[in-house]
Amino acid sequence: MKFSVERDVLADAVAWTSRAVPSRPPVPVLAGVRIDAATDGTVTLSSFDYEVSARSEFAADVDAAGVALVSGRLLREIANALPHKLVSFVLDGTKVSVTCGASRFTLATMPVDQYPALPDMPDIAGSVDGGTLQQAVSQVTAAASRDETLPILTAVRMEIEGSTISLLATDRYRLALRELAWRPASPSASSVALVRAKTLSETAKALGSAEVELSLGSGTGVDLIGFASGGLATTSLLMDGDYPPVRRLFRDENPTTAVVRTADLIDATRRVSLVAERNSSVRLAFSATEVTLDAGQSDDAQASEALECALDGADITVAFNPAFLLDGLHALSTEYVQLGFLQETKPVEFVGIDKPGGKVSAEFRYLLVPIRISA
């Protein structure tokens, strides 16, 4: 194996591929990245941890075809540290030499024949704008659980119906729903997939704003989801289990609504939560023309701030975990936020709105359970 490639091309490919290299591999070879150089001038890097696979393909000057398996961690660190010059790879026996300008590294190889075969990419189900996918995933994954004792809630439920994809995530205290348009291969497309939130988030960020091909199906006897864009591809096992029927928690109507400027509510929440002790709440008291935020129950520190708001309905006071409140507000991309109330102890719905009395944006909805206010 002998080939050369520009440093930036190599660094991007290695960064993508090394994401599937486990930090604590169950078997030593899984710590490696497989390098395949073909006579047609294509080099493919691949990695696999039995759940997630990653491939990156790029053009290079290939003088000799070959295959090698080297440490993914070392390859990533070396690629990032190299100067911005042409990089040469040469396989000599059980060593791979990497040369870039005056820099030279030698990497030991691992047995390629012991590396598992990567799953095939499922059939293409359609495509979606990468920027839209990235925004949608970032909006919902904040609400996914980090508690591995309830693994099903660490997933994002992806519902596909025709030209619409719905993403749902919850940790039992909040619920996020984002709907986005895509271009299905079949207009009657209909399927459901449970994708690990961490995997989905990392993939959407790494693929960027280019067009992304979405694949769904079975590979090697198990259900897979795949994403591909610009020479980068990844597959992930789908999670098994019954996701709770959370979509029904969104209400068709809310008897009381309040509209507040989003940026002002974010800033005020940040300020008053400075005095909130750990696991304590920020209280929001809504009246006809203003909402008052306050936090801090001790004599050491207290804070309050009033903002303009437009309330439609009876006065109401609720309390929220400030971090959860900020996650929902940051996920909105509109100038104003509308909060919908049923009663003080019921989940509050957050949706975007362009102006008081204006059209509500229903593509992203965030439901947050309030903290019970002690008497």
Side-chain angles (χ1 to χ4, degrees):
M1 180 184 75
K2 183 178 181 181
F3 68 89
S4 57
V5 63
E6 290 294 332
R7 180 265 180 191
D8 289 350
V9 174
L10 174 69
D12 290 343
V14 171
W16 169 262
T17 309
S18 61
R19 47 189 291 278
V21 176
S23 56
R24 295 181 179 177
V27 291
V29 291
L30 292 184
V33 165
R34 177 180 168 127
I35 307 173
D36 291 84
T39 53
D40 64 356
T42 300
V43 175
T44 303
L45 306 184
S46 54
S47 59
F48 189 34
D49 67 357
Y50 290 123
E51 288 189 356
V52 177
S53 74
R55 300 178 182 86
S56 56
E57 187 178 285
F58 56 86
D61 294 326
V62 179
D63 295 324
V67 181
L69 184 67
V70 300
S71 166
R73 179 185 61 82
L74 282 175
L75 184 62
R76 180 180 66 249
E77 293 176 352
I78 289 170
N80 290 336
L82 290 174
H84 294 271
K85 296 181 179 180
L86 197 67
V87 185
S88 297
F89 281 73
V90 178
L91 173 62
D92 184 9
T94 60
K95 303 286 186 180
V96 171
S97 65
V98 182
T99 306
C100 183
S103 302
R104 180 183 174 86
F105 298 86
T106 301
L107 297 175
T109 60
M110 292 180 274
V112 176
D113 58 349
Q114 295 181 18
Y115 199 74
L118 272 68
D120 295 328
M121 182 68 74
D123 294 336
I124 296 175
S127 63
V128 61
D129 176 75
T132 301
L133 178 66
Q134 184 176 356
Q135 182 196 38
V137 169
S138 68
Q139 286 176 308
V140 300
T141 50
S145 176
R146 276 75 167 169
D147 185 0
E148 293 295 337
T149 62
L150 289 170
I152 198 71
L153 296 186
T154 65
V156 171
R157 178 180 168 93
M158 179 182 290
E159 301 174 350
I160 296 175
E161 286 296 335
S163 60
T164 301
I165 296 177
S166 299
L167 302 177
L168 282 155
T170 183
D171 60 2
R172 297 181 300 167
Y173 306 105
R174 51 199 171 148
L175 168 63
L177 166 63
R178 170 66 199 267
E179 295 184 342
L180 64 151
W182 77 311
R183 291 164 288 282
S186 169
S188 60
S190 178
S191 57
V192 175
L194 295 181
V195 191
R196 288 169 178 80
K198 181 180 178 182
T199 300
L200 187 60
S201 178
E202 292 175 350
T203 299
K205 286 180 182 177
L207 288 176
S209 59
E211 190 80 359
V212 176
E213 290 182 342
L214 175 62
S215 301
L216 283 168
S218 298
T220 62
V222 293
D223 289 332
L224 289 174
I225 188 169
F227 300 88
S229 178
L232 306 178
T234 186
T235 65
S236 175
L237 295 183
L238 297 177
M239 297 183 70
D240 292 325
D242 296 325
Y243 202 79
V246 291
R247 183 189 276 268
R248 66 184 184 185
L249 296 176
F250 288 104
R251 300 181 289 270
D252 294 332
E253 293 183 0
N254 292 291
T256 301
T257 60
V259 176
V260 188
R261 189 181 294 273
T262 308
D264 291 349
L265 186 54
I266 289 174
D267 291 342
T269 301
R270 282 177 174 164
R271 284 190 286 267
V272 300
S273 64
L274 292 175
V275 301
E277 298 177 357
R278 187 176 181 180
N279 298 325
S280 63
S281 62
V282 170
R283 293 162 52 113
L284 288 78
F286 292 88
S287 61
T289 58
E290 70 176 20
V291 52
T292 302
L293 292 79
D294 67 80
Q297 303 298 320
S298 67
D299 294 333
D300 294 334
Q302 296 179 1
S304 66
E305 184 167 342
L307 301 174
E308 288 185 3
C309 86
L311 181 69
D312 182 6
D315 292 2
I316 191 169
T317 300
V318 291
F320 296 119
N321 175 309
F324 291 177
L325 174 59
L326 287 171
D327 282 344
L329 294 174
H330 280 299
L332 294 167
S333 56
T334 52
E335 185 175 358
Y336 288 86
V337 55
Q338 177 178 288
L339 292 79
F341 308 93
L342 185 60
Q343 52 182 280
E344 293 182 349
T345 58
K346 297 296 184 181
V348 178
E349 182 178 356
F350 294 72
V351 292
I353 187 170
D354 55 357
K355 60 182 178 180
K359 183 179 179 180
V360 172
S361 173
E363 67 176 15
F364 175 69
R365 303 169 75 180
Y366 186 78
L367 209 61
L368 181 57
V369 177
I371 296 173
R372 187 175 296 275
I373 301 173
S374 58

